[in-house]
Amino acid sequence: MTHVFDSLFIDGSWVRPSSSQRIEVHSASTEELLGSVPAASESDIDTAVAAARTAFDDPTGWSQWEPSRRAAAIERFAQELEARSEQIVQHVSGQNGMPVRFGRLTEGAVPAKILRYYAGLIQELPTTEVRKSLVYGSTEVRREPIGVVGAIVPWNFPQTLTFFKLAPALAAGCTVVVKPSSETVLDAMVVAEAAAAAELPPGVLNIVPGSGRTAGARLVSHPDVDKIAFTGSTEAGRSIAEACGRLFRPVTLELGGKSAGIILDDADLATTLKGLFAASLMNQGQSCYICTRILAPRNRYKEVVDGLSDLVRSLKIGDPLDRSTVIGPVASSKQRDIIEGYIAKGIAEGGRITAGGGRPEGFDRGWYVEPTIFADVDNNATIAREEIFGPVLAVIPFTDDDDAINIANDSAYGLGGTVWTSDVDRGAAIARRVQSGSIGINGYTMDHGAPFGGVKDSGMGRELGPEGLAAYQQYKSIYLPT
Ligand code: NAD
């Protein structure tokens, strides 16, 4: 069954697009057409921004509501999303190949959970504080919603990454225009249906898929947008940062990664390998924070390479909609070409493949790539420096803890990371010295109550936690005479 949408979600209604351009999405596992949606033109982006602007500027509207009133609307939205959770999971997995067993835990569950977290936080945290002035009288310090937000998201965790932005923005009192990635549009349309069913006020949330860069670029530079929140590639992030810089427009950038998983000499390898799957190969390696450089101590190097190779050979490859599948296809033929190009480069630069390296047998349709382990990789090799965004791990040897930290930090990126050890204090001491926005000991489980983001080329600003709410607020000081 194909899903065909003929309108965009703007100003609380389904609105005909201004052009006849469409975005078609195909199944990552069967290559069949799954559906299509209108592609927003620049003029549709203008209409969506105008709706968000009007809604934000309404003196009795969303931005001025008491937090408890906004929280009640957000709770209705969360309930409508929960009612559509399986539909959303099926769309995401069909489009980008994410195995449903992971999709249900992330794409199906996280949106409602994060909405509720921020609905709670906006009612708990004071938005106004009166301080005694250091000079004269007192000062009312206010945290006000920043305004109209343009949210641009990628295809790998389309729902989770949308709600990392949408939930704090809505809770803060902002209005939002979301531009989903053209690879994952059907799930975004279901979010629009949920917003309509929840009766969010018109203009508070607008969803406008666009193909290529045109729609996103228009949103970034639109004069009526007050903040941009972007997740995607470092290359696109750099051009968005340049545009926002010229406009003095606040921007949050969650970009690429090439994180290190440091296995210390005292690690229990069986437990480590179990945890490394989630930390390194989740979603076919199409996750920004994952550890695609595995740093192994020289005295246990062979043991780690053999263990990892056995692990990836044992992973069940299959239809992402099948509950037992652990490795699905990658998101698109373009993505598979990129990954295969990196595998060829890894071989050309002297890497030794110990598992995978090709396309799995028996899959003549769909964009499948075998999970692949490269041993004997130098940290200067292309596959150790560039983000592959596929199931390809490079195992790099190190001599001692200092050497491991130096290799981990010798990267343009700084997003995630892990340390594997039987001594948590030793692991934490190493984690403190790794240059990254977040890092886990003996696992990597993102905590939605704590800030997430990157350093260096992995981006700037933070999402999640109270810090993620502050990113949608701005301060105002009112100097009072007494
Ligand atoms: P992408 O940068 O190609 O596209 C991301 C989104 O930005 C899409 O919606 C796209 O249409 C839009 N876009 C692209 N260029 C634009 C421009 N110049 N102006 C405005 N909008 C533009 O990335 P992708 O291929 O969809 O996603 C994969 C990338 O995302 C990887 O590099 C990955 O590491 C990164 N990512 C980062 C995080 C994080 O939290 N740090 C999370 C997930 C993915």
Side-chain angles (χ1 to χ4, degrees):
M1 174 179 149
T2 53
H3 301 265
V4 179
F5 291 84
D6 54 16
S7 305
L8 302 164
F9 187 68
I10 297 176
D11 208 14
S13 313
W14 292 98
V15 172
R16 292 273 168 189
S18 67
S19 90
S20 56
Q21 264 204 335
R22 296 192 64 79
I23 299 170
E24 287 190 341
V25 277
H26 291 83
S27 158
S29 57
T30 66
E31 303 178 29
E32 282 162 7
L33 183 68
L34 290 175
S36 66
V37 303
S41 64
E42 290 190 343
S43 135
D44 296 316
I45 295 288
D46 291 353
T47 310
V49 172
R53 182 84 261 160
T54 304
F56 184 80
D57 291 343
D58 179 349
T60 60
W62 184 257
S63 62
Q64 305 303 316
W65 283 10
E66 283 300 313
S68 58
R69 189 171 170 201
R70 278 203 301 273
I74 291 172
E75 171 58 31
R76 288 199 306 274
F77 189 24
Q79 286 173 12
E80 295 295 343
L81 284 165
E82 275 174 337
R84 292 163 178 80
S85 148
E86 187 55 26
Q87 196 186 349
I88 287 174
V89 169
Q90 297 282 324
H91 277 320
V92 171
S93 296
Q95 294 167 112
N96 75 3
M98 177 186 297
V100 286
R101 64 191 294 158
F102 307 126
R104 289 190 180 121
L105 296 173
T106 55
E107 303 301 274
V110 169
K113 204 166 147 193
I114 302 207
L115 282 171
R116 291 196 174 110
Y117 168 66
Y118 280 109
L121 212 56
I122 196 66
Q123 296 178 92
E124 276 165 33
L125 296 178
T127 47
T128 305
E129 180 194 335
V130 178
R131 299 179 192 167
K132 190 171 163 10
S133 167
L134 292 181
V135 184
Y136 173 77
S138 60
T139 301
E140 181 182 313
V141 179
R142 297 169 58 77
R143 285 167 178 246
E144 299 185 336
I146 205 162
V148 173
V149 173
I152 302 176
V153 287
W155 46 260
N156 60 330
F157 286 90
Q159 289 292 311
T160 299
L161 297 169
T162 296
F163 281 87
F164 279 10
K165 298 159 185 56
L166 199 44
L170 292 180
C174 297
T175 58
V176 187
V177 177
V178 176
K179 210 292 288 167
S181 169
S182 50
E183 281 85 351
T184 42
V185 286
L186 300 178
D187 53 304
M189 292 289 110
V190 179
V191 172
E193 288 172 350
E199 298 182 341
L200 289 188
V204 165
L205 171 59
N206 308 272
I207 300 184
V208 279
S211 58
R213 298 185 165 192
T214 322
R218 175 63 182 161
L219 186 57
V220 166
S221 60
H222 196 291
D224 277 337
V225 168
D226 299 302
K227 166 171 175 127
I228 292 293
F230 173 78
T231 298
S233 61
T234 293
E235 186 198 359
R238 208 179 292 285
S239 102
I240 289 170
E242 282 167 7
C244 289
R246 275 195 305 278
L247 295 162
F248 305 124
R249 180 161 295 167
V251 59
T252 308
L253 300 166
E254 303 284 5
L255 310 176
K258 193 77 203 175
S259 304
I262 304 173
I263 302 177
L264 297 183
D265 49 9
D266 64 1
D268 173 64
L269 201 55
T271 331
T272 299
L273 289 171
K274 247 190 228 157
L276 264 181
F277 168 75
S280 293
L281 287 162
M282 174 75 134
N283 201 21
Q284 293 78 254
Q286 302 167 127
S287 315
C288 52
Y289 56 80
I290 54 166
C291 302
T292 48
R293 291 184 297 150
I294 305 297
L295 276 46
R298 282 190 193 280
N299 59 3
R300 295 186 71 186
Y301 189 74
K302 184 173 179 324
E303 200 189 335
V304 170
V305 170
D306 290 349
L308 269 175
S309 306
D310 288 346
L311 168 78
V312 302
R313 278 191 221 103
S314 73
L315 299 173
K316 183 171 181 238
I317 302 176
D319 176 356
L321 302 180
D322 179 339
R323 236 204 83 68
S324 66
T325 294
V326 177
I327 295 280
V330 298
S332 62
S333 62
K334 180 178 152 209
Q335 193 60 24
R336 182 170 66 180
D337 290 347
I338 292 171
I339 297 164
E340 290 181 339
Y342 276 113
I343 292 175
K345 211 165 226 175
I347 298 169
E349 292 181 6
R352 176 169 59 94
I353 291 185
T354 61
R359 295 182 183 181
E361 264 177 45
F363 292 88
D364 18 332
R365 285 189 318 166
W367 301 303
Y368 287 89
V369 183
E370 283 180 317
T372 299
I373 304 296
F374 270 99
D376 305 340
V377 179
D378 187 283
N379 195 46
N380 289 314
T382 307
I383 59 164
R385 302 214 78 80
E386 295 182 10
E387 182 181 52
I388 299 174
F389 228 53
V392 181
L393 305 185
V395 192
I396 302 169
F398 68 83
T399 312
D400 55 24
D401 291 3
D402 283 346
D403 190 34
I405 292 163
N406 287 338
I407 296 171
N409 290 342
D410 180 12
S411 172
Y413 296 106
L415 189 57
T418 47
V419 186
W420 304 85
T421 176
S422 53
D423 178 346
V424 172
D425 290 340
R426 180 182 171 204
I430 290 176
R432 287 184 199 107
R433 293 173 62 195
V434 173
Q435 296 159 354
S436 73
S438 61
I439 184 163
I441 314 293
N442 293 338
Y444 184 100
T445 308
M446 198 183 286
D447 172 9
H448 299 153
F452 172 78
V455 300
K456 301 194 272 185
D457 285 2
S458 291
M460 55 191 213
R462 293 292 179 268
E463 294 191 314
L464 300 178
E467 296 79 5
L469 180 66
Y472 294 93
Q473 294 172 319
Q474 59 192 348
Y475 289 107
K476 180 175 194 175
S477 295
I478 302 179
Y479 307 127
L480 302 167
T482 53

